[in-house]
Amino acid sequence: MHLLNLGILAHVDAGKTSLTERLLHSAGVIDEIGSVDDGNTRTDTLALERRRGITIKSAVVSFPVDDVTVNLIDTPGHPDFIAEVERVLGVLDGAVLVVSAVEGVQPQTRILMRTLQRLRIPTLLFVNKIDRRGARYDDLLSSISERLRAAVVPMGTVEGLGTREADFLPGFGPSAPVVLAEHDDELLTAYVENTVSYDLLRTALATQTRQVLVHPVYFGSAITGAGVDALITGIKELLPAAEGDPQGPLSGTVFKVERGPAGEKIAYARMFSGTLRTRDRITFGGTGGTGSTGDTGAGGDIRETRETRDEGKVTAISVFDHGTDIDSDSVPAGRIGMLRGLGEIRIGDSIGVPRKAVEHFFAPPTLETVVVPGPDADRRALHLALTQLAEQDPLIGLRHDEVRRETAVSLYGEVQKEVIQATLAEEFGVHVTFRETTPLCIERPVGTGAAVEFNKKDPNPFLATVGLRVEPGPVGSGVRFGLEVELGAMPYAFFKAVGDTVRETLGQGLHGWRVTDCVVTMTHSGYSARQSHAHQGFDKSMSSTGADFRGLTPLVLVEALRRAGTQVYEPMHRFRVEAPADTLTALLPVLAALRAVPQTTETHGSLCVLEGEVPVAQVHGLERQLPGLTRGEGEWESAFDHYAPVAQGAVPERARTDHNPLNRKEYLLNVTRRVA
């Protein structure tokens, strides 16, 4: 039996989850179609998902189509959960992108299509809601082609558009040979000679769809079922089956982690090679490359990998079949399995041999808020709950301040904050509120600075010599640590202690923000060799330990940073706003007041399109004001683009949560209980 791992993606409210229900019903997996409004859909299992009518977490459900088993993955549509979507994309064989026939191409639709094309994932388009008043066909096809910058092939026509009786009539239109002939010489010749056959068109369509050269477009309604059978046929015939050798070396990727009823970890993994069996001991983790979780990639994106690899035993496996998950002894290449027993596993981990694939980069969370526990909240339970939430989504970071007894959480948007609040209340019984959301800035070195402290020289109270030089690195390079001293000059454990502490210390720069895009070089090293009195054990007061290097490194590093200087950068979004041209007189002053800088302006009939950049801190305010400024006709799209130097007002400061190496006296009191 062939396998196909299929993703369903869409802008919020386009009908994605409703289409999932219809597909399951058409395949005979469910007897009754669930409703998003009624909160009884198969894939939206969280109470919050059912209540709000949005998908928050990806969900997997399977259904058969003749000899093909489809693992269908329903993904979130709200932009605050784009990281959840991008993780899923790496395990897909194909996708269906849902577009509303009424609202048409929306901001998230464009973002999703760009991502699908970048990752080269074969994609069908399904135009939903043809039974709704205001549904469109011809101009919507033109809009899809133009705004998604995609070659599209309509797979039929619609009769009764905009009525309850609307139906989809499958068949190639006159534009199909023209579009497909651009990439097929044989078809071009047949078109010129007027000998184009249905079989030739169908073969060319399947080939070019799998090569992501064209995108077939189906019209229909998830509510009435119109066009869904044609879409199912397209899924079966046009999208590529899952590949992988069940006898090959074990290789897979974890794209989701959740907790079971007893608190145990359950990892969702797509196997690309080999066969994983119950009771197998496996290795999992990062690729062992230079990237690490939290480092920044090009443009400030987060590279979701980690260097370390762990080992564990798989105690139980479930696979997906006929709409549910069933226990299994194994999960072969091509399938998705739920794995238990791997306590240290994380989202993004490779299982077995890491895949030699293009790394996926995720826009970093650019907002932060402090969690305020309710009057009766158990702080220990809150800490555990937040840790588990961050574990399920590693792009969401936690920052604990032991002095103020506060925890800050990094976010992508305001909806995500509401989701965290509701999840803590409903799943963990912890009620919280939040302080005002603030931008999450970074620091970069301005110049080069160096510092050194020598062993047994005042004012150094540590038995260690550490010298460090800090200099700017290329934008997007993250933090690089290197040596100018001989590796054999002291035990390797001491070098590792310095390197680890450098990365930890750079989490809070001179202004409290994470320092990135820099090169830190160790220029001096030294230690006191292991000593002991005759017939006695090891004397720690006379011999260097890792604690000496961990204690001294922050003091040396922040002094080097002081001499180099740092600049605070705020996150910037690239925005695109489409609005009636006659509303620009009201819109432009508001954009200027909120520091949004239009860089290009285009006019399309009565519409005007502005593109530019805006500080993340102003995005939420602009989104709220846009409908009133544009008579409800404005359309806003924005996404993280880069970090820019803070140009106006005071330099934003962030409260420190470490022992504050900027204040030597305070630091030594906290670390050594001695004042040099």
Side-chain angles (χ1 to χ4, degrees):
M1 178 175 282
H2 296 296
L3 294 167
L4 170 63
N5 296 297
L6 177 73
I8 303 287
L9 304 97
H11 184 98
V12 66
D13 288 336
K16 171 177 50 61
T17 300
S18 297
L19 177 60
T20 299
E21 291 290 308
R22 175 61 67 175
L23 289 171
L24 295 177
H25 182 266
S26 297
V29 170
I30 57 177
D31 297 327
E32 186 175 344
I33 296 175
S35 166
V36 174
D37 293 335
D38 295 338
N40 59 354
T41 59
R42 178 62 63 96
T43 52
D44 284 347
T45 56
L46 299 179
L48 182 62
E49 291 179 313
R50 296 181 185 277
R51 189 170 66 251
R52 291 199 56 150
I54 61 172
T55 302
I56 296 168
K57 292 292 182 183
S58 57
V60 183
V61 65
S62 72
F63 63 89
V65 179
D66 297 333
D67 62 339
V68 177
T69 294
V70 178
N71 286 326
L72 189 150
I73 306 177
D74 187 17
T75 61
H78 198 281
D80 280 11
F81 308 106
I82 186 63
E84 179 82 15
V85 176
E86 290 210 26
R87 275 195 294 269
V88 171
L89 296 185
V91 304
L92 298 182
D93 303 304
V96 173
L97 181 60
V98 184
V99 179
S100 168
V102 179
E103 288 82 10
V105 175
Q106 295 173 281
Q108 188 73 352
T109 318
R110 291 161 54 90
I111 293 171
L112 290 169
M113 178 55 92
R114 284 199 298 266
T115 306
L116 289 164
Q117 291 176 329
R118 172 170 56 86
L119 298 178
R120 308 295 299 166
I121 296 174
T123 302
L124 311 181
L125 277 78
F126 183 75
V127 179
N128 192 25
K129 304 182 182 180
I130 62 170
D131 57 322
R132 291 267 302 274
R133 180 183 297 178
R136 297 170 291 151
Y137 181 83
D138 290 323
D139 66 322
L140 183 55
L141 277 173
S142 300
S143 174
I144 289 173
S145 178
E146 177 184 347
R147 300 192 63 192
L148 297 184
R149 298 176 183 176
V152 298
V153 178
M155 299 302 294
T157 58
V158 177
E159 65 176 10
L161 186 66
T163 69
R164 191 69 178 178
E165 291 71 35
D167 200 10
F168 180 67
L169 307 178
F172 285 116
S175 66
V178 179
V179 175
L180 294 171
E182 288 188 24
H183 306 284
D184 189 316
D185 291 340
E186 181 183 357
L187 181 57
L188 177 60
T189 301
Y191 180 71
V192 172
E193 297 175 352
N194 200 27
T195 58
V196 176
S197 66
Y198 175 85
D199 290 341
L200 186 60
L201 276 178
R202 194 73 182 183
T203 301
L205 178 66
T207 300
Q208 294 183 33
T209 300
R210 292 168 186 171
Q211 294 174 348
V212 200
L213 297 173
V214 300
H215 301 283
V217 182
Y218 297 84
F219 283 73
S221 169
I223 299 300
T224 67
V228 173
D229 288 342
L231 175 64
I232 291 175
T233 300
I235 290 171
K236 174 189 172 184
E237 297 180 355
L238 301 179
L239 295 178
E243 297 180 350
D245 179 8
Q247 308 304 319
L250 189 68
S251 180
T253 298
V254 176
F255 65 91
K256 177 180 178 179
V257 173
E258 65 182 18
R259 294 274 180 175
E264 75 281 12
K265 272 190 181 181
I266 303 173
Y268 288 66
R270 157 77 190 267
M271 303 308 299
F272 292 95
S273 175
T275 300
L276 179 60
R277 296 177 173 83
T278 307
R279 295 183 292 279
D280 279 355
R281 289 199 69 84
I282 61 171
T283 58
F284 56 87
T287 60
T290 57
S292 61
T293 302
D295 283 358
T296 57
D301 295 345
I302 292 181
R303 180 180 299 141
E304 196 181 55
T305 63
R306 58 178 175 134
E307 295 178 352
T308 58
R309 290 186 68 80
D310 296 300
E311 186 175 294
K313 182 179 180 180
V314 179
T315 58
I317 294 174
S318 300
V319 296
F320 297 93
D321 192 33
H322 281 77
T324 187
D325 55 281
I326 58 174
D327 293 338
S328 176
D329 293 331
S330 63
V331 52
R335 295 205 76 160
I336 291 174
M338 297 166 60
L339 315 179
R340 290 174 170 83
L342 307 175
E344 300 301 318
I345 203 158
R346 292 167 51 180
I347 292 174
D349 279 355
S350 295
I351 292 175
V353 180
R355 293 182 68 210
K356 294 180 180 178
V358 177
E359 288 182 291
H360 300 311
F361 293 88
F362 304 89
T366 53
L367 300 170
E368 185 176 59
T369 185
V370 173
V371 182
V372 180
D376 300 323
D378 183 336
R379 289 182 178 269
R380 190 174 301 175
L382 173 60
H383 177 82
L384 177 62
L386 287 171
T387 301
Q388 289 194 12
L389 288 182
E391 179 184 83
Q392 295 172 24
D393 192 346
L395 296 185
I396 304 304
L398 298 179
R399 187 170 180 266
H400 301 290
D401 186 338
E402 298 298 335
V403 176
R404 298 171 184 80
R405 300 185 67 194
E406 293 178 346
T407 299
V409 58
S410 54
L411 304 164
Y412 285 90
E414 294 295 322
V415 171
Q416 194 176 27
K417 185 165 68 174
E418 297 173 29
V419 168
I420 292 174
Q421 183 180 35
T423 303
L424 288 172
E426 295 173 5
E427 295 189 16
F428 298 94
V430 180
H431 296 274
V432 302
T433 56
F434 298 93
R435 291 189 193 152
E436 184 181 0
T437 304
T438 57
L440 199 52
C441 300
I442 63 169
E443 292 182 50
R444 288 181 176 135
V446 175
T448 299
V452 61
E453 294 205 23
F454 294 96
N455 187 10
K456 299 179 181 178
K457 294 273 186 76
D458 286 338
N460 178 11
F462 300 101
L463 294 177
T465 294
V466 174
L468 297 171
R469 183 176 66 247
V470 178
E471 51 197 326
V475 173
S477 62
V479 175
R480 298 180 182 177
F481 178 71
L483 301 177
E484 268 186 9
V485 294
E486 292 292 335
L487 191 58
M490 63 182 187
Y492 173 74
F494 295 161
F495 285 114
K496 187 175 188 305
V498 174
D500 291 346
T501 307
V502 162
R503 291 186 172 89
E504 181 181 343
T505 303
L506 290 177
Q508 300 178 74
L510 302 182
H511 300 278
W513 305 103
R514 178 174 59 89
V515 181
T516 188
D517 299 339
C518 64
V519 179
V520 181
T521 306
M522 190 170 185
T523 57
H524 296 76
S525 66
Y527 74 109
S528 294
R530 183 183 180 95
Q531 297 183 29
S532 62
H533 298 293
H535 310 296
Q536 294 184 8
F538 168 59
D539 186 350
K540 187 164 63 174
S541 67
M542 301 172 62
S543 309
S544 297
T545 66
D548 288 301
F549 288 89
R550 287 190 294 272
L552 180 60
T553 297
L555 291 172
V556 177
L557 182 57
V558 297
E559 182 58 31
L561 274 177
R562 270 200 187 102
R563 297 174 182 179
T566 66
Q567 185 164 22
V568 176
Y569 288 70
E570 63 180 335
M572 303 291 290
H573 269 205
R574 181 79 184 172
F575 76 84
R576 180 183 189 276
V577 60
E578 184 176 296
D582 62 356
T583 65
L584 286 187
T585 53
L587 181 59
L588 288 175
V590 175
L591 291 175
L594 295 177
R595 296 195 288 142
V597 181
Q599 296 172 331
T600 63
T601 304
E602 296 179 3
T603 302
H604 302 281
S606 62
L607 288 178
C608 187
V609 178
L610 304 176
E611 292 189 4
E613 59 183 45
V614 58
V616 165
Q618 309 299 338
V619 169
H620 188 55
L622 276 169
E623 289 176 332
R624 286 184 302 185
Q625 293 188 54
L626 188 68
L629 295 169
T630 61
R631 302 191 298 270
E633 299 178 46
E635 185 177 285
W636 174 272
E637 174 187 339
S638 72
F640 172 79
D641 188 68
H642 67 285
Y643 290 96
V646 174
Q648 295 184 14
V651 175
E653 301 281 339
R654 190 190 197 194
R656 302 191 72 88
T657 59
D658 58 7
H659 293 309
N660 192 15
L662 292 174
N663 184 322
R664 187 182 187 93
K665 182 176 180 179
E666 177 186 337
Y667 177 82
L668 291 175
L669 276 171
N670 287 322
V671 175
T672 69
R673 302 303 175 187
R674 293 182 291 170
V675 180

